[in-house]
Amino acid sequence: MADVTDTTIDARALDEVVTYTSELIRIDTTNRGGGDCRERPAAEYVAERLVGAGLDPVLLERAPGRTNVVARYEGWDPGADALLVHGHLDVVPAEPDDWTVHPFSGEVRDGVVWGRGAVDMKNMDAMILSVVRAWARHGIRPRRDIVIAYTADEEASAEDGSAFLAEEHASLFEGCTEGISESGAYTFHAGPGLALYPVGAGERGTAWMKLTAQGRAGHGSKVNRENAVTRLAAAVARIGEHRWPVRLTPTVKAALLEMATLHGISLTAAELEATGFDVDELLVKLGPAAKLVEATVRNSANPTLLEAGYKVNVIPGNAMALVDGRILPGTDDEFLATMDALTGPDVEWEFDHNEIALQAPVDSPTFAKLRAALEAFDPDAHVVPFCMSGGTDAKQFARLGITGYGFSPLKLPPGFDYQALFHGVDERVPVDALHFGVRVLDHYLQTA
Ligand SMILES: [Zn+2]
């Protein structure tokens, strides 16, 4: 176990993280969107175990059954900033017929815990519980206050979850400067003997847009130069075919430089930033590792829904489309101007849902400590920063001045495709991976 003397994470902590992951999976917290979810039983489950660790959790709801839980584990240094550790309690839907085991069975089979939420993110929810309960047993206090938040509604709008907490209960997060949560610090096998651990240090912004074309309604047999369907279709095609320019953010640059070095590719920061640098060529050379950055070297806008008309021989007066846009940190103005140009004069567009992009520093003491915690338990780990292509609760907590990192440590064996399991069929997590995770999390939180 490298140079770490691991006394806190005892046999009981290792048992608990597996039991809690499994039992949380069994509590069905499917979030179908539109308010159709009930996190309360899972919230009560975690709250009870926090009480068992001597904490005083509060349960908070904006809507009945949509329960959030917040608790604070006091550190020994009153001068230190607090650290937020958060996990969401809801999961995306799962269709039992598609699965090898029932998605809400939480079955532990051949050293693997199966079920919806096994990696997103009841694993991390369980790891947090296991760590603080081990601390309570051993009388351990971390340096910083650790604020623990279990949220509702992450898999939909976050309105009943982290957004509500940030808006209505900011005082519970007083002193928090950084936060850690999902989607990072798992093993990404980039080739034989090359174990990457991407740690989240940024997120693209969310720009869900509604396009509307107005035209002149009329008979389908007549001449009509103001056809709303034609106008909308032209705009949608322009958006779908648009090749967004490369925009390298600090996190993506750091990721590309580190991954180039690991692949034996000579690349300097100056070369990377030079005009005419071909990032796509570099991505090809990076092979499987390119997956970690390819969605975040550019903005994107994908048309996803069309709605117009009601009869073949009637030209409708208007037509509507939805587009899923994702915006890199620092590129908002360019994105808006590009959308104006692509939609053109005949099509209006507006945000249906708009969330900010995040950029966390990768040269920070926090990132160095996250890196060190992973390296302590996997000497072969190559930690690389990455920017998430989508969004998490960290966006909401950013409103409180909390810098978010994606850090839910898991050591996964080769062939275990974390990204495919995320929201996927047969979501599962090895027991060993949970054991690794709980050790790394304990180590990080104690050294943070
Ligand atoms: Zn998640």
Side-chain angles (χ1 to χ4, degrees), residues 127-378:
M127 278 154 45
I128 298 165
L129 290 176
S130 167
V131 167
V132 295
R133 288 168 63 86
W135 288 357
R137 280 198 299 284
H138 296 280
I140 285 167
R141 279 174 79 186
R143 186 176 71 87
R144 301 168 74 166
D145 274 14
I146 306 291
V147 174
I148 298 158
Y150 288 104
T151 62
D153 205 23
E154 194 275 342
E155 298 291 4
S157 67
E159 276 169 32
D160 290 328
S162 54
F164 159 69
L165 293 178
E167 271 158 35
E168 306 285 332
H169 297 282
S171 63
L172 292 172
F173 303 92
E174 209 179 293
C176 287
T177 48
E178 280 109 21
I180 60 167
S181 191
E182 65 182 309
S183 301
Y186 59 91
T187 327
F188 181 98
H189 295 279
L194 186 52
L196 303 182
Y197 283 79
V199 168
E203 297 180 2
R204 293 202 299 178
T206 310
W208 291 342
M209 297 165 285
K210 183 179 176 177
L211 274 54
T212 316
Q214 304 292 342
R216 183 162 52 80
H219 199 286
S221 69
K222 304 293 184 199
V223 174
N224 190 328
R225 301 275 170 231
E226 298 152 71
N227 184 323
V229 174
T230 309
R231 287 173 168 177
L232 183 81
V236 164
R238 285 193 296 270
I239 293 165
E241 280 165 10
H242 183 64
R243 185 84 173 138
W244 292 84
V246 171
R247 294 288 177 259
L248 299 180
T249 65
T251 295
V252 173
K253 276 186 215 168
L256 289 171
L257 288 170
E258 291 209 26
M259 290 198 288
T261 306
L262 290 170
H263 286 76
I265 301 162
S266 132
L267 178 69
T268 65
E271 284 166 346
L272 189 60
E273 282 164 21
T275 10
F277 177 77
D278 190 343
V279 79
D280 296 302
E281 200 181 297
L282 174 62
L283 291 180
V284 170
K285 289 185 196 158
L286 290 176
K291 254 196 171 168
L292 293 173
V293 280
E294 64 190 6
T296 55
V297 297
R298 295 179 168 86
N299 291 327
S300 63
N302 281 309
T304 47
L305 186 144
L306 295 168
E307 207 172 85
Y310 54 94
K311 196 165 184 296
V312 69
N313 59 351
V314 180
I315 297 169
N318 53 65
M320 190 276 283
L322 297 182
V323 177
D324 181 350
R326 306 289 173 147
I327 310 181
L328 285 161
T331 66
D332 296 66
D333 291 346
E334 183 187 14
F335 185 89
L336 302 191
T338 306
M339 282 305 299
D340 284 343
L342 291 172
T343 47
D346 298 325
V347 176
E348 299 280 311
W349 75 271
E350 62 185 339
F351 287 122
D352 227 13
H353 181 77
N354 185 16
E355 297 280 1
I356 53 165
L358 302 180
Q359 170 66 52
V362 296
D363 54 359
S364 63
T366 296
F367 196 89
K369 285 175 179 175
L370 294 170
R371 181 191 292 274
L374 284 164
E375 288 171 349
F377 291 91
D378 183 353

